[in-house]
Amino acid sequence: MYRLATCQIEKNMATIRDATFCFLTNHTEFIARKRTISTTFWSNKFCTDIFERRTFASAMELVGENPTLFAVVRHPIDRFLSGYVDKCHKTVFYYSAEERCFGCKYDMRCFVEKMYKTLLGYYDGSIKKSRMVKYYVRHFAPQTWYCEFDKHKNDYILINYHTGINGTRKIADDFEKVYEQAQDPFRKVAEKRVLSDDYVMGLLMRMYFYDFIEFGFK
């Protein structure tokens, strides 16, 4: 069992991480249904919300002792632009073109002004927390509002969302480090055995010799 938990922040690879955790916790059926992580969206997600928790304490109770916690953080302007393009220009799944983004359509200034006032009102409790308000706050709130960072920021491994050339590779490398830290304890035992047994290691090197050559592994 992976003692692994992540805090979901919208527009920071949340959909991919949801699909990844679905695969980790239900991989046999996930594969049997021919599902893939890269083609999973919120509208067609395979797993239920059974493993999701709304508070840090309840998540820790589920994961158990000595967990590995991580969150993906993103440059605020980059995150906003991603959300704005997605929610105000593309998505018509939740709201019509007339309703979405508080009726501002393609007027960015209108939307930013209304979003700013909405965040202030949401924070001080002066506005009604309607379905639409909650939807846009969830996607555009400051990242510091998430994950109970005010109390537990130092408990997380923070992974930067990379963009541009080699961005995907950098993110993949960061995730690999997290998963290595949180790997199944039985895998750790097996790895120790392989590294301490020259005969087994020799056979594996023979089996995967051309993998090392063709793909440049060291």
Side-chain angles (χ1 to χ4, degrees):
M1 175 182 177
Y2 286 86
R3 296 191 182 281
L4 181 67
T6 186
C7 174
Q8 294 284 54
I9 301 176
E10 275 76 7
K11 307 314 299 176
N12 291 9
M13 299 180 66
T15 304
I16 290 178
R17 277 182 289 143
D18 184 78
T20 300
F21 272 74
C22 178
F23 171 78
L24 290 175
T25 57
N26 198 14
H27 61 276
T28 301
E29 192 170 356
F30 191 90
I31 294 173
R33 296 291 184 87
K34 301 185 184 304
R35 302 301 292 264
T36 63
I37 292 174
S38 62
T39 57
T40 296
F41 300 95
W42 291 112
S43 58
N44 69 344
K45 61 189 297 184
F46 179 67
C47 291
T48 64
D49 297 336
I50 188 172
F51 294 108
E52 294 183 10
R53 295 295 183 271
R54 297 299 179 184
T55 66
F56 185 91
S58 60
M60 294 305 94
E61 183 178 348
L62 175 67
V63 178
E65 297 181 355
N66 301 316
T68 297
L69 313 177
F70 74 97
V72 177
V73 292
R74 187 174 186 176
H75 189 287
I77 302 303
D78 183 43
R79 177 171 174 261
F80 167 78
L81 291 172
S82 175
Y84 178 74
V85 171
D86 184 36
K87 303 307 175 187
C88 298
H89 285 257
K90 294 181 179 180
T91 302
V92 291
F93 183 78
Y94 294 102
Y95 299 103
S96 68
E98 296 296 320
E99 294 176 311
R100 65 183 179 183
C101 291
F102 305 116
C104 289
K105 298 183 179 179
Y106 302 134
D107 187 336
M108 180 183 284
R109 178 175 291 186
C110 168
F111 174 69
V112 172
E113 288 176 347
K114 290 189 176 182
M115 193 70 247
Y116 176 73
K117 292 178 181 178
T118 296
L119 291 172
L120 290 178
Y122 193 93
Y123 183 79
D124 64 22
S126 62
I127 64 171
K128 181 180 179 181
K129 296 180 179 180
S130 66
R131 179 173 176 268
M132 179 177 285
V133 165
K134 289 180 179 179
Y135 178 77
Y136 287 107
V137 167
R138 194 166 71 245
H139 288 88
F140 291 94
Q143 294 165 89
T144 51
W145 286 18
Y146 293 81
C147 313
E148 297 185 39
F149 278 145
D150 58 330
K151 299 177 182 177
H152 300 288
K153 179 174 176 287
N154 292 333
D155 295 323
Y156 289 94
I157 297 170
L158 297 180
I159 296 176
N160 287 318
Y161 183 102
H162 299 284
T163 58
I165 298 175
N166 298 323
T168 301
R169 179 70 265 168
K170 291 178 181 178
I171 293 173
D173 289 343
D174 287 343
F175 270 105
E176 180 65 22
K177 294 175 184 176
V178 172
Y179 293 141
E180 284 180 358
Q181 181 172 327
Q183 62 185 261
D184 191 306
F186 292 107
R187 176 195 158 94
K188 292 183 179 180
V189 172
E191 182 177 328
K192 185 176 181 179
R193 288 178 180 173
V194 168
L195 295 176
S196 63
D197 191 326
D198 291 339
Y199 178 73
V200 171
M201 179 63 78
L203 290 178
L204 292 175
M205 291 296 290
R206 292 181 186 180
M207 290 168 59
Y208 303 123
F209 176 78
Y210 285 105
D211 282 357
F212 286 94
I213 298 300
E214 293 295 328
F215 302 123
F217 293 117
K218 297 181 180 179

